[in-house]
mmCIF file of all heavy atoms in Angstrom:
data_model
loop_
_atom_site.group_PDB
_atom_site.id
_atom_site.type_symbol
_atom_site.label_atom_id
_atom_site.label_comp_id
_atom_site.label_asym_id
_atom_site.label_seq_id
_atom_site.Cartn_x
_atom_site.Cartn_y
_atom_site.Cartn_z
ATOM 1 N N ASN A 38 -14.394 43.835 0.289
ATOM 2 C CA ASN A 38 -13.815 43.822 -1.062
ATOM 3 C C ASN A 38 -13.417 45.238 -1.539
ATOM 4 O O ASN A 38 -13.415 46.196 -0.684
ATOM 5 C CB ASN A 38 -14.796 43.203 -2.039
ATOM 6 C CG ASN A 38 -16.024 43.803 -1.940
ATOM 7 O OD1 ASN A 38 -16.364 45.017 -2.213
ATOM 8 N ND2 ASN A 38 -17.100 43.061 -1.546
ATOM 9 N N GLY A 39 -12.940 45.341 -2.765
ATOM 10 C CA GLY A 39 -12.512 46.568 -3.248
ATOM 11 C C GLY A 39 -11.148 46.914 -2.900
ATOM 12 O O GLY A 39 -10.326 45.968 -2.681
ATOM 13 N N LEU A 40 -10.746 48.148 -3.013
ATOM 14 C CA LEU A 40 -9.333 48.547 -2.927
ATOM 15 C C LEU A 40 -9.003 48.937 -1.465
ATOM 16 O O LEU A 40 -9.896 49.318 -0.635
ATOM 17 C CB LEU A 40 -9.124 49.743 -3.786
ATOM 18 C CG LEU A 40 -9.432 49.552 -5.268
ATOM 19 C CD1 LEU A 40 -9.112 50.883 -6.058
ATOM 20 C CD2 LEU A 40 -8.720 48.443 -5.839
ATOM 21 N N ILE A 41 -7.711 48.845 -1.077
ATOM 22 C CA ILE A 41 -7.300 49.389 0.187
ATOM 23 C C ILE A 41 -7.235 50.906 -0.025
ATOM 24 O O ILE A 41 -6.632 51.470 -1.003
ATOM 25 C CB ILE A 41 -5.918 48.898 0.579
ATOM 26 C CG1 ILE A 41 -6.028 47.391 0.767
ATOM 27 C CG2 ILE A 41 -5.423 49.510 1.930
ATOM 28 C CD1 ILE A 41 -4.666 46.732 1.010
ATOM 29 N N PRO A 42 -7.879 51.807 0.780
ATOM 30 C CA PRO A 42 -7.874 53.221 0.644
ATOM 31 C C PRO A 42 -6.446 53.609 0.515
ATOM 32 O O PRO A 42 -5.535 53.375 1.323
ATOM 33 C CB PRO A 42 -8.649 53.752 1.844
ATOM 34 C CG PRO A 42 -9.480 52.646 2.298
ATOM 35 C CD PRO A 42 -8.746 51.305 1.956
ATOM 36 N N LYS A 43 -6.173 54.541 -0.528
ATOM 37 C CA LYS A 43 -4.826 54.823 -0.869
ATOM 38 C C LYS A 43 -3.992 55.479 0.192
ATOM 39 O O LYS A 43 -2.839 55.098 0.447
ATOM 40 C CB LYS A 43 -4.799 55.665 -2.157
ATOM 41 C CG LYS A 43 -3.479 55.768 -2.745
ATOM 42 C CD LYS A 43 -3.577 56.443 -4.186
ATOM 43 C CE LYS A 43 -2.151 56.302 -4.803
ATOM 44 N NZ LYS A 43 -2.192 56.835 -6.169
ATOM 45 N N LYS A 44 -4.543 56.443 0.888
ATOM 46 C CA LYS A 44 -3.785 57.169 1.878
ATOM 47 C C LYS A 44 -4.323 57.005 3.262
ATOM 48 O O LYS A 44 -3.582 57.080 4.251
ATOM 49 C CB LYS A 44 -3.835 58.647 1.552
ATOM 50 C CG LYS A 44 -2.992 58.955 0.291
ATOM 51 C CD LYS A 44 -3.029 60.457 0.052
ATOM 52 C CE LYS A 44 -2.260 60.746 -1.234
ATOM 53 N NZ LYS A 44 -2.217 62.203 -1.514
ATOM 54 N N ALA A 45 -5.572 56.562 3.429
ATOM 55 C CA ALA A 45 -6.241 56.620 4.576
ATOM 56 C C ALA A 45 -5.574 55.721 5.716
ATOM 57 O O ALA A 45 -5.414 56.078 6.908
ATOM 58 C CB ALA A 45 -7.674 56.173 4.540
ATOM 59 N N ILE A 46 -5.266 54.502 5.323
ATOM 60 C CA ILE A 46 -4.704 53.460 6.256
ATOM 61 C C ILE A 46 -3.296 53.757 6.663
ATOM 62 O O ILE A 46 -2.952 53.830 7.769
ATOM 63 C CB ILE A 46 -4.869 52.066 5.735
ATOM 64 C CG1 ILE A 46 -6.462 51.673 5.415
ATOM 65 C CG2 ILE A 46 -4.346 51.103 6.703
ATOM 66 C CD1 ILE A 46 -7.250 51.602 6.685
ATOM 67 N N PHE A 47 -2.488 53.902 5.625
ATOM 68 C CA PHE A 47 -0.950 53.869 5.779
ATOM 69 C C PHE A 47 -0.481 55.217 6.355
ATOM 70 O O PHE A 47 0.706 55.384 6.302
ATOM 71 C CB PHE A 47 -0.210 53.442 4.598
ATOM 72 C CG PHE A 47 -0.506 52.057 4.304
ATOM 73 C CD1 PHE A 47 -0.353 51.456 2.991
ATOM 74 C CD2 PHE A 47 -0.859 51.023 5.180
ATOM 75 C CE1 PHE A 47 -0.497 50.254 2.666
ATOM 76 C CE2 PHE A 47 -0.997 49.718 4.974
ATOM 77 C CZ PHE A 47 -0.880 49.259 3.684
ATOM 78 N N ASN A 48 -1.374 56.109 6.765
ATOM 79 C CA ASN A 48 -0.927 57.380 7.308
ATOM 80 C C ASN A 48 -1.483 57.531 8.772
ATOM 81 O O ASN A 48 -1.274 58.567 9.267
ATOM 82 C CB ASN A 48 -1.473 58.545 6.487
ATOM 83 C CG ASN A 48 -0.652 58.713 5.280
ATOM 84 O OD1 ASN A 48 0.596 58.595 5.346
ATOM 85 N ND2 ASN A 48 -1.190 59.087 4.154
ATOM 86 N N ILE A 49 -1.885 56.457 9.393
ATOM 87 C CA ILE A 49 -2.380 56.502 10.853
ATOM 88 C C ILE A 49 -1.133 56.072 11.597
ATOM 89 O O ILE A 49 -0.687 54.890 11.838
ATOM 90 C CB ILE A 49 -3.492 55.560 11.069
ATOM 91 C CG1 ILE A 49 -4.667 55.975 10.204
ATOM 92 C CG2 ILE A 49 -4.000 55.679 12.529
ATOM 93 C CD1 ILE A 49 -5.787 54.874 10.306
ATOM 94 N N SER A 50 -0.381 57.033 12.107
ATOM 95 C CA SER A 50 1.035 56.791 12.705
ATOM 96 C C SER A 50 0.929 56.062 13.877
ATOM 97 O O SER A 50 1.969 55.441 14.366
ATOM 98 C CB SER A 50 1.759 58.131 12.839
ATOM 99 O OG SER A 50 1.004 58.981 13.707
ATOM 100 N N SER A 51 -0.100 55.987 14.590
ATOM 101 C CA SER A 51 -0.186 55.204 15.908
ATOM 102 C C SER A 51 -0.351 53.697 15.734
ATOM 103 O O SER A 51 -0.217 53.000 16.815
ATOM 104 C CB SER A 51 -1.363 55.794 16.775
ATOM 105 O OG SER A 51 -2.643 55.668 16.035
ATOM 106 N N LEU A 52 -0.776 53.334 14.504
ATOM 107 C CA LEU A 52 -1.075 51.917 14.410
ATOM 108 C C LEU A 52 0.157 50.988 14.579
ATOM 109 O O LEU A 52 1.225 51.223 14.182
ATOM 110 C CB LEU A 52 -1.627 51.643 12.864
ATOM 111 C CG LEU A 52 -3.091 51.812 12.748
ATOM 112 C CD1 LEU A 52 -3.373 51.805 11.241
ATOM 113 C CD2 LEU A 52 -3.880 50.930 13.493
ATOM 114 N N GLU A 53 -0.109 49.858 15.344
ATOM 115 C CA GLU A 53 0.856 48.839 15.502
ATOM 116 C C GLU A 53 0.516 47.514 14.937
ATOM 117 O O GLU A 53 1.373 46.807 14.437
ATOM 118 C CB GLU A 53 0.996 48.567 17.099
ATOM 119 C CG GLU A 53 1.486 49.739 17.897
ATOM 120 C CD GLU A 53 1.573 49.503 19.475
ATOM 121 O OE1 GLU A 53 1.351 48.211 19.669
ATOM 122 O OE2 GLU A 53 1.981 50.282 20.151
ATOM 123 N N VAL A 54 -0.798 47.333 14.687
ATOM 124 C CA VAL A 54 -1.239 46.068 14.010
ATOM 125 C C VAL A 54 -2.265 46.511 13.074
ATOM 126 O O VAL A 54 -3.340 47.144 13.351
ATOM 127 C CB VAL A 54 -1.805 45.068 15.025
ATOM 128 C CG1 VAL A 54 -2.315 43.738 14.347
ATOM 129 C CG2 VAL A 54 -0.774 44.684 16.125
ATOM 130 N N ILE A 55 -2.084 46.005 11.740
ATOM 131 C CA ILE A 55 -3.160 46.167 10.768
ATOM 132 C C ILE A 55 -3.461 44.587 10.189
ATOM 133 O O ILE A 55 -2.486 44.039 9.680
ATOM 134 C CB ILE A 55 -2.723 46.909 9.555
ATOM 135 C CG1 ILE A 55 -2.466 48.363 10.004
ATOM 136 C CG2 ILE A 55 -3.797 46.851 8.377
ATOM 137 C CD1 ILE A 55 -1.905 49.288 8.879
ATOM 138 N N ASN A 56 -4.718 44.170 10.329
ATOM 139 C CA ASN A 56 -4.995 42.828 9.863
ATOM 140 C C ASN A 56 -6.262 42.923 8.959
ATOM 141 O O ASN A 56 -7.336 43.150 9.314
ATOM 142 C CB ASN A 56 -5.348 41.964 11.119
ATOM 143 C CG ASN A 56 -5.445 40.465 10.695
ATOM 144 O OD1 ASN A 56 -5.784 40.094 9.493
ATOM 145 N ND2 ASN A 56 -5.284 39.494 11.593
ATOM 146 N N PHE A 57 -5.991 42.829 7.594
ATOM 147 C CA PHE A 57 -7.005 42.721 6.640
ATOM 148 C C PHE A 57 -7.098 41.318 5.998
ATOM 149 O O PHE A 57 -7.631 41.221 4.825
ATOM 150 C CB PHE A 57 -6.868 43.777 5.602
ATOM 151 C CG PHE A 57 -7.002 45.175 6.114
ATOM 152 C CD1 PHE A 57 -6.474 46.311 5.318
ATOM 153 C CD2 PHE A 57 -7.707 45.393 7.231
ATOM 154 C CE1 PHE A 57 -6.585 47.546 5.890
ATOM 155 C CE2 PHE A 57 -7.888 46.711 7.698
ATOM 156 C CZ PHE A 57 -7.338 47.790 7.059
ATOM 157 N N SER A 58 -6.538 40.401 6.568
ATOM 158 C CA SER A 58 -6.377 39.032 5.927
ATOM 159 C C SER A 58 -7.700 38.331 5.704
ATOM 160 O O SER A 58 -8.660 38.681 6.340
ATOM 161 C CB SER A 58 -5.485 38.086 6.699
ATOM 162 O OG SER A 58 -5.786 38.025 7.969
ATOM 163 N N PHE A 59 -7.781 37.350 4.849
ATOM 164 C CA PHE A 59 -8.961 36.603 4.601
ATOM 165 C C PHE A 59 -10.151 37.394 4.146
ATOM 166 O O PHE A 59 -11.164 37.336 4.770
ATOM 167 C CB PHE A 59 -9.249 35.637 5.805
ATOM 168 C CG PHE A 59 -8.248 34.546 6.067
ATOM 169 C CD1 PHE A 59 -7.350 34.799 7.052
ATOM 170 C CD2 PHE A 59 -8.190 33.431 5.214
ATOM 171 C CE1 PHE A 59 -6.395 33.794 7.304
ATOM 172 C CE2 PHE A 59 -7.250 32.388 5.582
ATOM 173 C CZ PHE A 59 -6.392 32.693 6.613
#
Side-chain angles (χ1 to χ4, degrees):
N38 50 59
L40 306 177
I41 300 175
K43 191 166 186 179
K44 296 183 179 180
I46 300 294
F47 291 156
N48 281 323
I49 306 176
S50 60
S51 58
L52 275 171
E53 295 181 3
V54 179
I55 299 175
N56 190 336
F57 293 158
S58 57
F59 293 100

